[in-house]
Amino acid sequence: MFDLELIIDSVPFLLRGAVYTVQVSVLAIVFGLVLGWLFGLAAVSGVAALRAVTGCYVQFIRGTPLLVQIFLIYFGLPVLGLNLPAYWCGVIALGLNSGGFQAEIVRAGIESIDRGQTEAARSIGMSRFQTLVFILVPQTIRRVIPPLTNELITLVKSSSLLSAIAALELTHAGQLIIARTFAPFEIYAAVALIYLVMVNVLSRASALLEKRVFVNY
Amino acid sequence: MAILRVEKLSKAFGTTLVLKDVSLSVDKGEILIIVGPSGSGKTTLLRCIQCLEFPDRGAIVLDGVSFGTGDGPDLRWRPDPPRVLDVKRRRVGFVFQRFNLFANLSALHNVTIGPHRVLGVPAAEARARAASLLERLGLGEHVGKLPSQLSGGQQQRVAIARALSMDPVLMLFDEPTSALDPELVDEVLQTMRELARSGMTMIVVTHELDFAREVGDRVIFMDGGRIVEAGRPAEVFSQPREERTRAFLRRLLRTGAPQLTPRDDQPPPGGETGPVIPGVDRRD
């Protein structure tokens, strides 16, 4: 019943898809981290205009399905005269999406730092900016590693939605094999296993970061 | 010569008036003690002096420099622009009830960051100065530790060092020992005693009456956002003129009695006839 040989034959093709998934995810993570910290810091900047822009961005990202956002990018950018391959559309869509959620994580992280830290910094004459850079952000980084890890795991798994725009990522690679072999269970089982391994590596790396790289205070 | 003048300071949180026309002045080298029940406005007064809280009306003048302006037609106090305020603030040191050491920085780094980042002192020089300051406060072996690895008393002494690192002309202490375990209070008070002896101008909000008597040049008693009584500690504590002061001291002695340290040759505090505070000689 369960065709193990088919799975073994499919592994090289699936791994090509996995490499694509990793590439898109890593790029989207970097993009999302940059956006997340920029918008997260904008949200606590005290500049009303920046706060408003961040609010709209976060509202839109949280209020619409990722699949719809992917279509908006994929079909919207050509209308604006920008023809990008599915690969880059995927990076942009996932990065924008993740950035919105990360902005909220960063904002909440900074706001969770005791007010006394800010007051002490201001009391020795540090500016708002210095307080942010030297006191609040370092303390926030460690505090947001667990929720950020969750967010990054979500991103890796959500990249499967890029199959809808025929990006050659892992899920789509699986679908192509299924179309040829009509063995959906075996292939999706293999696909699931590969996602599991990727996410596992990510959460282990994050745990290591939390314990070893950043001191516990 | 007054180094700090506070004039008719008022402050409300919502509809609650926490400071009502508070005026005071502090001379160079003077130690001013502020006592009063919680909610009397003493912490808010201290915070307003360093503009951690902005007053609604009034004036704050430190060493001839006015913090904010309150002389517009509507008399509302207005803060300085942020950059200006940052610069003015450096001249005042603030010691918090809950220490507020930077949790991500070592003791040494806590004391270095101000001079280095704010005053622009080169890193090596700032480090050397911070190390000798901590050494002087008996914290030499703790320089590399994070605040979470220090006792409350040690943390508060590092916090005092951090404030001193900016070379302030005035030090403000907001109940510096009330978050400490009783056995850790003395080391902090000792540090403050030495600071007072060195000629630093200080305003101290505290419930440590022994300390207030010994170190304080003047004490003010606040209640309901006003200064109710002021005078030399010996007078205010032994012969308070106002009933509210008497009632507060009675309460403080009843609840705070175990923390006071009676001298052998004096009877313990208490009794029906009113407050008797264990006498401690004034600073010699």
Side-chain angles (χ1 to χ4, degrees), chain B:
Chain B
M1 164 60 185
I3 197 153
L4 174 77
R5 275 189 304 117
V6 171
E7 278 160 23
K8 298 204 164 208
L9 212 63
S10 294
K11 167 79 180 168
F13 289 117
T15 53
T16 319
L17 217 55
V18 283
L19 289 179
K20 299 169 193 161
D21 282 342
V22 173
S23 299
L24 61 85
S25 80
V26 182
D27 287 341
K28 192 163 167 42
E30 192 182 21
I31 315 297
L32 176 67
I33 307 283
I34 305 179
V35 295
S38 67
S40 60
K42 49 198 195 315
T43 291
T44 305
L45 172 61
L46 221 55
R47 291 169 60 84
C48 281
I49 291 174
Q50 212 198 11
C51 295
L52 288 175
E53 216 83 70
F54 291 157
D56 298 330
R57 278 158 211 281
I60 304 155
V61 183
L62 177 75
D63 209 6
V65 179
S66 180
F67 278 52
T69 49
D71 48 8
D74 58 352
L75 290 176
R76 277 201 75 80
W77 186 89
R78 286 184 179 78
D80 297 305
R83 292 275 161 82
V84 178
L85 177 58
D86 289 344
V87 173
K88 289 182 179 176
R89 245 184 199 144
R90 298 173 194 169
R91 311 201 61 210
V92 182
F94 201 105
V95 176
F96 298 85
Q97 184 176 358
R98 301 219 46 98
F99 332 132
N100 293 346
L101 285 182
F102 303 131
N104 55 322
L105 304 178
S106 69
L108 183 71
H109 210 156
N110 262 280
V111 184
T112 313
I113 190 165
H116 180 44
R117 298 293 179 184
V118 178
L119 300 179
V121 177
E125 192 187 331
R127 260 201 305 278
R129 270 200 244 166
S132 79
L133 187 54
L134 287 169
E135 185 71 43
R136 219 171 69 216
L137 298 187
L139 294 157
E141 53 188 308
H142 303 300
V143 289
K145 291 186 184 166
L146 287 168
S148 57
Q149 298 168 310
L150 297 172
S151 74
Q154 290 162 347
Q155 287 189 56
Q156 193 60 297
R157 284 187 289 150
V158 174
I160 292 172
R162 176 178 64 186
L164 288 175
S165 73
M166 300 300 289
D167 212 4
V169 295
L170 170 68
M171 286 282 284
L172 307 176
F173 293 83
D174 181 18
E175 301 198 33
T177 58
S178 41
L180 294 173
D181 290 334
E183 75 269 22
L184 301 177
V185 168
D186 272 340
E187 55 182 275
V188 172
L189 292 183
Q190 188 53 35
T191 301
M192 291 169 63
R193 240 176 236 122
E194 280 158 22
L195 192 58
R197 231 170 261 145
S198 76
M200 176 61 73
T201 313
M202 295 161 57
I203 303 180
V204 185
V205 172
T206 186
H207 294 302
E208 298 286 336
L209 296 191
D210 274 357
F211 173 82
R213 246 183 200 248
E214 180 198 341
V215 176
D217 296 308
R218 203 148 48 91
V219 59
I220 54 182
F221 172 71
M222 285 185 70
D223 195 16
R226 293 180 197 280
I227 296 177
V228 174
E229 186 161 354
R232 293 168 69 88
E235 292 159 10
V236 175
F237 290 152
S238 359
Q239 292 136 7
R241 288 191 308 274
E242 301 289 330
E243 174 49 35
R244 274 193 285 180
T245 317
R246 272 198 286 272
F248 171 73
L249 289 172
R250 263 204 302 279
R251 263 200 316 278
L252 192 64
L253 285 177
R254 211 179 311 130
T255 57
Q259 285 185 20
L260 296 173
T261 48
R263 291 289 163 94
D264 324 357
D265 57 345
Q266 298 248 339
E272 299 295 312
T273 51
V276 181
I277 295 156
V280 177
D281 289 335
R282 273 182 51 74
R283 170 155 54 112
D284 45 10

Side-chain angles (χ1 to χ4, degrees), chain A residues 148-202:
Chain A
L148 274 187
T149 304
N150 276 340
E151 178 47 38
L152 301 187
I153 287 173
T154 303
L155 185 151
V156 171
K157 293 188 297 182
S158 302
S159 69
S160 67
L161 289 174
L162 297 180
S163 58
I165 55 171
L168 250 179
E169 48 72 54
L170 178 54
T171 304
H172 192 55
Q175 287 168 341
L176 290 179
I177 299 175
I178 293 165
R180 205 157 33 80
T181 61
F182 304 107
F185 178 55
E186 283 88 342
I187 298 303
Y188 277 129
V191 166
L193 199 68
I194 297 174
Y195 276 115
L196 205 57
V197 170
M198 291 195 292
V199 167
N200 214 290
V201 168
L202 195 59

